[in-house]
């Protein structure tokens, strides 16, 4: 049930790996979209604005969790590529111990601080109570976030991108059912949407755990491999924490931007919330490409097949260009219709809401190729073992969004907010593209390249890019 990404056509391997990953992300976005559609159409624009106003702080915390899990999976992929199954299992076990610790600390901290954070973000008073209820429940579900994302990351590191999709499909169906049951049946409001999201992800993670124990013999660990190992934890943290911080640092700019949008009023908050959901769905192919390149580069670095790194990045960038063009053309035609999915036709300001949401969607989609490069190149660099570069890219994104939020939005209003993320993607690309070439060059200097059709002469070190 594992897959070797170190031999064969990079384009074929990337497409074959990315497609199941894409379907999984689409399923994940599906239940996020269902939450938004039900909240917006059944509970109204005020409830939609409440949920949307928590998007940046949600990304700040949950993005850190996802980044850490993705980083923990990189040493697993590298040991898989180096054909060292015992070390691979040791990393998987210690990743689990670390995830438990991170989940407990983050759940406690965010639960205590989320009310204060919403206050600092200038959340409008008319939506504050619903915003707090929603994000508090989401934060209490952080252990479920760690459970699923860690297991999915380990499975993908083994070369299997299909299995996580099955459990996300289960999660999506369950989430939809719970949405209707809790919001329509129990009248739980925005709390019902949050409970449905957390519960469905927890069920998906638990099901994935039981399946892994039964179907992946390569992950069956000895007592020695399951023990806590400080050296393994240090390597995992050196990969996972920079990736998590990259998400969180990027989110700081989003929080500043969200605060600026909040100051414009709940109508604009609702428009951004609806537009962001469409953007997240359209961005799934680029997220899938990023996840694919992390595993692809991790395995090939582990096997010392360095010639395949540049070929893989170029092949994936070509895919990103094609997907970007298709998405932009589609949104030029269908952006208003997409906006209507999340808005109640009975709203008094329905026409203005639709126009604002469509404007946000079109501007975002016009810059999807820079977004695709951000995902492809950044995750490739991380797969090579240079996770600290992710922090630098995140700082650039944060600076761009913060500048727009503090300077341009007060001066030019809502349209400036629509250009904040595109500006962040372009700034990140200006650093990431040359950085990827530098990373490959450094690997070539440090380690001998192995011809593609031969096994690696020696395994690369535990952290690629570091001296032995």
């Amino acid at each position: 049930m594992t897959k070797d990404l170190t031999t064969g056509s990079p384009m074929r391997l990337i497409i074959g790996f990315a497609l199941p990953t894409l379907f999984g992300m689409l399923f994940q976005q599906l239940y996020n979209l269902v939450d938004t559609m039900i909240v917006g159409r059944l509970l109204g624009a005020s409830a939609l604005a409440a949920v949307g106003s928590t998007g940046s702080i949600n990304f700040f915390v949950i993005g850190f969790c996802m980044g850490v899990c993705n980083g923990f999976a990189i040493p697993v992929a590298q040991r898989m590529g180096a054909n060292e199954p015992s070390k691979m299992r040791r990393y998987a076990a210690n990743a689990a111990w670390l995830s438990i610790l991170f989940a407990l600390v983050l759940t406690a901290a965010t639960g205590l601080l989320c009310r204060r954070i919403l206050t600092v973000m200038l959340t409008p008073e008319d939506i504050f109570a619903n915003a707090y209820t929603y994000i508090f429940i989401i934060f209490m579900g952080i252990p479920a976030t760690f459970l699923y994302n860690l297991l999915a990351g380990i499975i993908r590191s083994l070369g299997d991108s299909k299995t996580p999709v099955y459990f996300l499909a289960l999660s999506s169906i369950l989430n939809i059912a719970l949405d209707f049951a809790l919001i329509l049946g129990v009248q739980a409001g925005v709390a019902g949407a949050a409970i449905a999201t957390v519960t469905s992800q927890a069920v998906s993670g638990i099901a994935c755990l039981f399946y892994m124990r039964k179907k992946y013999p390569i992950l069956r660990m000895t007592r020695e491999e399951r023990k806590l190992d400080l050296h393994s934890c240090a390597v995992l943290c050196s990969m996972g924490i920079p990736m998590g911080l990259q998400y969180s640092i990027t989110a700081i700019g989003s929080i500043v931007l969200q605060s600026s949008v909040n100051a414009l009023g709940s109508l604009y908050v609702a428009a951004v919330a609806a537009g962001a959901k469409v953007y997240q769905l359209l961005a799934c192919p680029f997220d899938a490409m990023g996840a694919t390149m992390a595993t692809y580069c991790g395995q090939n670095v582990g096997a010392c097949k360095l010639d395949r790194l540049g070929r893989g990045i170029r092949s994936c960038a070509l895919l990103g260009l094609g997907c970007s063009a298709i998405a932009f053309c589609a949104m030029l035609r269908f952006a208003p219709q997409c906006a209507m999915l999340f808005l109640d036709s009975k709203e008094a300001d329905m026409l203005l809401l639709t126009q604002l949401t469509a404007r946000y969607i079109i501007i975002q989609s016009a810059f999807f190729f820079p977004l695709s490069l951000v995902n492809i190149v950044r995750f490739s660099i991380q797969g090579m073992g240079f996770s600290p570069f992710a922090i630098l890219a995140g700082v650039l994104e944060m600076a761009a969004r913060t500048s727009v939020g503090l300077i341009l939005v007060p001066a030019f209003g809502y349209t400036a907010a629509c250009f904040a993320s595109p500006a962040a993607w372009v700034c990140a690309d200006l650093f990431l593209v040359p950085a990827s070439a530098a990373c490959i060059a450094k690997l070539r200097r440090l380690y001998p390249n192995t011809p593609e059709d031969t096994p690696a002469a020696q395994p690369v070190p535990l952290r690629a890019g570091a001296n032995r």
Side-chain angles (χ1 to χ4, degrees):
M1 299 186 67
T2 62
K3 187 173 183 178
D4 184 3
L5 302 180
T6 63
T7 59
S9 166
M11 179 69 82
R12 179 178 58 82
L13 290 170
I14 289 169
I15 293 175
F17 192 96
L19 281 177
T21 305
L22 171 60
F23 290 136
M25 291 179 173
L26 289 173
F27 279 125
Q28 191 168 30
Q29 289 302 322
L30 174 62
Y31 64 72
N32 289 333
L33 287 172
V34 169
D35 283 342
T36 306
M37 290 172 66
I38 292 178
V39 169
R41 296 180 69 88
L42 299 182
L43 300 180
S46 177
L48 176 63
V51 174
S53 68
T54 66
S56 55
I57 185 60
N58 192 344
F59 179 58
F60 179 83
V61 176
I62 302 303
F64 177 82
C65 301
M66 296 173 63
V68 167
C69 292
N70 289 335
F72 286 168
I74 288 175
V76 177
Q78 291 182 347
R79 294 310 98 199
M80 183 70 184
N83 195 26
E84 295 179 335
S86 180
K87 290 183 179 179
M88 181 269 292
R89 289 190 291 268
R90 188 182 297 276
Y91 279 121
N94 282 272
W97 291 118
L98 287 172
S99 294
I100 292 172
L101 174 63
F102 275 77
L104 292 176
V105 172
L106 285 172
T107 301
T110 54
L112 293 172
L113 295 175
C114 64
R115 182 179 293 276
R116 182 174 299 177
I117 293 170
L118 291 176
T119 301
V120 171
M121 290 177 60
L122 304 177
T123 304
E125 292 184 6
D126 58 329
I127 62 175
F128 190 97
N130 277 337
Y132 174 77
T133 299
Y134 182 84
I135 198 61
F136 180 82
I137 295 172
I138 293 295
F139 285 161
M140 292 302 100
I142 285 176
T145 301
F146 265 99
L147 177 63
Y148 173 76
N149 283 282
L150 177 65
L151 298 182
I154 291 174
I155 291 174
R156 284 194 295 267
S157 294
L158 302 180
D160 179 7
S161 60
K162 296 180 181 179
T163 297
V165 178
Y166 305 143
F167 297 104
L168 274 176
L170 169 67
S171 179
S172 299
I173 296 170
L174 178 60
N175 190 90
I176 294 171
L178 288 174
D179 270 329
F180 283 107
L182 294 174
I183 295 178
L184 292 179
V186 183
Q187 302 292 313
V190 295
I195 292 171
T197 298
V198 171
T199 302
S200 60
Q201 189 164 51
V203 170
S204 179
I206 293 170
C208 193
L209 176 62
F210 280 101
Y211 186 84
M212 285 176 65
R213 290 171 59 89
K214 183 177 181 180
K215 296 294 185 179
Y216 292 86
I218 196 172
L219 291 174
R220 292 174 186 169
M221 305 171 187
T222 65
R223 180 176 297 180
E224 183 66 23
E225 291 167 345
R226 287 196 297 267
K227 287 183 179 179
L228 183 67
D229 178 69
L230 294 182
H231 175 70
S232 297
C233 288
V235 173
L236 288 163
C237 287
S238 72
M239 297 288 187
I241 292 177
M243 289 185 71
L245 289 176
Q246 178 267 316
Y247 281 93
S248 294
I249 291 172
T250 301
I252 292 173
S254 298
I255 291 172
V256 174
L257 178 63
Q258 183 69 60
S259 300
S260 298
V261 174
N262 289 348
L264 297 176
S266 57
L267 184 70
Y268 294 93
V269 176
V272 170
K277 290 301 180 182
V278 178
Y279 149 71
Q280 289 166 6
L281 181 64
L282 294 173
C284 280
F286 314 122
D287 294 333
M289 292 175 194
T292 297
M293 292 308 296
T295 301
Y296 174 88
C297 289
Q299 286 197 12
N300 281 282
V301 166
C304 276
K305 296 186 176 180
L306 307 182
D307 289 339
R308 294 175 58 81
L309 299 177
R311 291 172 56 199
I313 292 173
R314 289 190 294 271
S315 297
C316 202
L318 184 61
L319 288 176
L321 178 61
C323 291
S324 302
I326 293 171
F328 178 59
C329 292
M331 288 305 101
L332 282 177
R333 174 64 180 83
F334 297 109
Q337 290 82 351
C338 291
M340 288 291 295
L341 293 174
F342 307 99
L343 303 172
D344 185 358
S345 58
K346 298 179 182 178
E347 288 287 342
D349 297 312
M350 184 62 192
L351 179 59
L352 179 58
L353 266 174
T354 303
Q355 292 173 344
L356 292 173
T357 305
R359 188 190 312 173
Y360 181 92
I361 295 169
I362 291 172
I363 292 174
Q364 302 294 301
S365 61
F367 289 85
F368 271 169
F369 182 59
L371 171 63
S372 70
L373 288 180
V374 169
N375 283 282
I376 293 166
V377 180
R378 179 170 60 203
F379 278 93
S380 295
I381 291 174
Q382 291 165 348
M384 295 177 208
F386 296 88
S387 287
F389 279 114
I391 297 179
L392 297 177
V395 169
L396 290 173
E397 290 193 63
M398 176 194 69
R401 286 193 177 91
T402 300
S403 299
V404 172
L406 294 179
I407 300 173
L408 298 183
V409 173
F412 299 101
Y414 176 77
T415 300
C418 296
F419 280 97
S421 289
W425 302 332
V426 172
C427 288
D429 283 335
L430 293 175
F431 167 76
L432 287 169
V433 173
S436 65
C439 291
I440 295 174
K442 184 174 183 178
L443 289 173
R444 289 183 182 278
R445 291 194 302 270
L446 291 174
Y447 313 114
N449 182 61
T450 299
E452 184 172 331
D453 296 330
T454 61
Q458 57 182 337
V460 299
L462 299 178
R463 285 186 296 167
N467 290 325
R468 298 192 180 189

